[in-house]
Amino acid sequence: MVERYYKSIAELPREEYFAPGHSLCAGCAAGTIVRALLKVAGPNTIVVNATGCVEVATTAYPYTAWRIPWIHVAFENAASVASGVEAAIKVLKRKGLIDPNKKINIIALAGDGGTYDIGFQALSGMLERGHRVVYVLYDNEAYMNTGIQRSGGTPLFAWTTTTPAGRVWRGKHQPKKPIADIVAAHRIPYVATANPAYYLDMVNKFRRALEVEDGPAFIHVIQPCPTGWRFDPKLSITVARLATETAMWINWELDHGEFRVTVPVPKRKHVKHYLRIQGRFRHLTDQDIEEIQRFIDREVERVNKLVGKEVIGPLVE
Amino acid sequence: MSMGEELPKYFEIPIAGTILEPGNTVKIPTGEWRAFRPIIDKEKCVRCLLCWAYCPDGAIIIVDQPYKTASGREYKFSVEIDYYHCKGCGICAQECPVKAIQMVEEVK
């Protein structure tokens, strides 16, 4: 675990910029992620939100859960709006209308639908133009807000309402799109994947992303969804932790070309521990699980080769 | 803006759907969703703040009051639960390393 800025949870600011009373489902880890993000970012922050669970649940008119400036325009353009906000602030600083030394964080916050599918070209454009925006993707692996439809982020064999499980279909046919790798291919300064269960690792990545000076930063956070993944709300963080323990989710960062796995897993668990806890994988047979396991084994091998040593260990249980 | 209250006139509403009162969801009693009530045992609690960090609703509050346990350990602060907003998901009880939080069924 990389602990560069915060060494313990007690060092985090006590202030809450994400007010309670929002209507995210009980046990939704998005609340955990956004609270942590705003604690790290502080009051000088502008959040641009794409349509999604967080947008719908936090701003039911005439209420808002945000204690900082927040804007929502449309589903597909969170990255474009964030680019515009960043450019406007640059101009206002140049004209001396706001203090040029004042640090203003601009955060684009989008779900997997707003990033993998609908918002992808806006995101790619923002990365290519090199705006100083931190793009945070909270990935609950389907369109949860509209009723659990598949997205580009839905993993292999997962049940959703548009990839049903039955005699012919066994959930989604295609594997998850490697969005963080695609973003990294834009050669931006900072790309990372994070997991709310590894809290300090996550907040340190947020802090690092906000301190990147020379361009955009992208953080991909896994967000277990009790409603769509079909598990007991109290298990949100447990499921997130299992994702990393089984190497279904690898926490890495790419900081100016330097690749690091920030949460090494010396002894890896079998993916069945992660899959069997969730109702969306209930239809899987043992052969299907072995197929996913082989897919993960190949991915682990690829990451280990990239790092140059065995950071994700062998399968033990 | 509850029922029966007089609604604002069109010219009194801010333009473009802006909300001028930051964080006004604190008025919404999401605690009514709760089926199980978390109860913190301050004697067992080691003040690791994991529940405070993991809580998706910010319903765990840090209270700056010194506390001395029966076994003589002294803490500078305690954690309490904001029952007005706690949705009773149970993440705090599940993740507590010393099992100091119990989930008790709500009795109306």
Side-chain angles (χ1 to χ4, degrees):
Chain A
M1 193 185 285
V2 183
E3 289 171 38
R4 277 171 302 199
Y5 304 103
Y6 301 107
K7 289 192 176 62
S8 77
I9 290 172
E11 288 173 28
L12 276 164
R14 300 272 178 94
E15 290 81 20
E16 298 280 353
Y17 297 104
F18 188 64
H22 55 73
S23 43
L24 287 166
C25 306
C28 176
T32 312
I33 296 164
V34 178
R35 271 186 68 220
L37 176 64
L38 295 191
K39 273 185 195 300
V40 174
N44 288 341
T45 303
I46 299 170
V47 170
V48 181
N49 208 169
T51 308
C53 286
V54 168
E55 180 261 331
V56 170
T58 58
T59 54
Y61 193 80
Y63 294 104
T64 177
W66 303 82
R67 289 179 174 146
I68 48 150
W70 177 95
I71 181 171
H72 163 250
V73 182
F75 211 142
E76 59 273 35
N77 60 5
S80 315
V81 176
S83 307
V85 171
E86 191 254 9
I89 285 183
K90 221 190 251 175
V91 170
L92 289 174
K93 279 185 179 174
R94 196 166 62 217
K95 288 185 175 171
L97 292 168
I98 47 177
D99 180 10
N101 297 320
K102 190 174 180 181
K103 190 175 172 345
I104 298 170
N105 303 312
I106 298 142
I107 298 173
L109 185 65
D112 53 310
T115 307
Y116 282 84
D117 309 339
I118 303 173
F120 187 71
Q121 65 152 5
L123 168 65
S124 186
M126 182 194 91
L127 301 174
E128 185 265 329
R129 292 187 301 268
H131 292 282
R132 266 200 57 202
V133 173
V134 177
Y135 194 102
V136 178
L137 154 61
Y138 62 95
D139 186 357
N140 50 27
E141 305 192 326
Y143 290 86
M144 295 312 181
N145 156 43
T146 50
I148 323 167
Q149 288 87 6
R150 96 189 262 289
S151 78
T154 308
L156 189 63
F157 299 151
W159 163 90
T160 65
T161 50
T162 47
T163 54
R167 262 177 305 169
V168 182
W169 278 43
R170 40 175 190 171
K172 193 189 174 194
H173 300 247
Q174 303 85 359
K176 193 178 168 84
K177 192 201 285 192
I179 190 81
D181 297 4
I182 296 169
V183 169
H186 287 76
R187 307 281 191 273
I188 62 166
Y190 189 77
V191 185
T193 61
N195 184 332
Y198 296 84
Y199 196 81
L200 281 174
D201 179 66
M202 179 177 76
V203 290
N204 280 311
K205 281 170 175 165
F206 287 153
R207 179 79 183 265
R208 175 74 193 109
L210 290 163
E211 292 193 352
V212 167
E213 291 287 333
D214 50 344
F218 181 88
I219 300 183
H220 184 186
V221 192
I222 184 173
Q223 184 240 307
C225 169
T227 310
W229 296 14
R230 299 284 194 250
F231 60 81
D232 189 321
K234 72 177 180 194
L235 297 174
S236 271
I237 300 295
T238 312
V239 169
R241 189 175 293 115
L242 275 169
T244 294
E245 284 173 351
T246 57
M248 287 288 282
W249 183 269
I250 297 169
N251 283 322
W252 53 265
E253 66 174 1
L254 184 67
D255 191 345
H256 293 84
E258 197 187 323
F259 184 82
R260 253 199 309 268
V261 171
T262 55
V263 182
V265 186
K267 284 176 185 165
R268 181 154 57 96
K269 286 185 181 170
H270 195 282
V271 290
K272 69 180 179 208
H273 297 287
Y274 174 70
L275 303 177
R276 286 295 182 216
I277 206 169
Q278 299 172 48
R280 63 173 175 160
F281 292 114
R282 189 182 289 141
H283 59 282
L284 294 191
T285 60
D286 288 344
Q287 284 100 345
D288 295 336
I289 291 182
E290 284 311 314
E291 204 175 323
I292 296 178
Q293 181 62 57
R294 279 196 297 278
F295 183 76
I296 296 301
D297 288 347
R298 279 201 300 277
E299 183 61 20
V300 167
E301 203 178 309
R302 188 185 71 85
V303 169
N304 281 340
K305 209 179 265 177
L306 215 57
V307 181
K309 60 176 184 195
E310 198 175 59
V311 279
I312 311 288
L315 198 63
V316 286
E317 42 169 317
Chain B
M1 210 185 289
S2 61
M3 294 298 237
E5 201 180 307
E6 200 172 323
L7 293 171
K9 299 278 182 297
Y10 75 92
F11 53 83
E12 292 168 345
I13 299 172
I15 58 158
T18 49
I19 304 165
L20 302 178
E21 194 187 346
N24 58 359
T25 49
V26 290
K27 294 177 196 161
I28 302 175
T30 46
E32 288 174 2
W33 300 12
R34 194 170 56 235
F36 289 91
R37 168 184 284 256
I39 290 169
I40 297 185
D41 182 349
K42 286 190 187 174
E43 290 289 311
K44 267 192 186 175
C45 172
V46 292
R47 275 72 172 171
C48 66
L49 292 180
L50 273 176
C51 53
W52 174 78
Y54 285 141
C55 179
D57 291 286
I60 307 264
I61 328 161
I62 301 173
V63 185
D64 283 307
Q65 261 173 13
Y67 187 86
K68 198 174 175 185
T69 61
S71 58
R73 277 192 80 168
E74 281 181 49
Y75 294 104
K76 285 189 188 128
F77 61 88
S78 293
V79 285
E80 279 177 11
I81 291 166
D82 169 6
Y83 290 112
Y84 191 76
H85 296 116
C86 167
K87 292 170 187 162
C89 64
I91 289 179
C92 50
Q94 179 75 17
E95 296 304 319
C96 180
V98 291
K99 299 282 163 242
I101 304 178
Q102 297 297 320
M103 298 302 286
V104 183
E105 199 168 347
E106 285 282 346
V107 185
K108 283 276 184 295

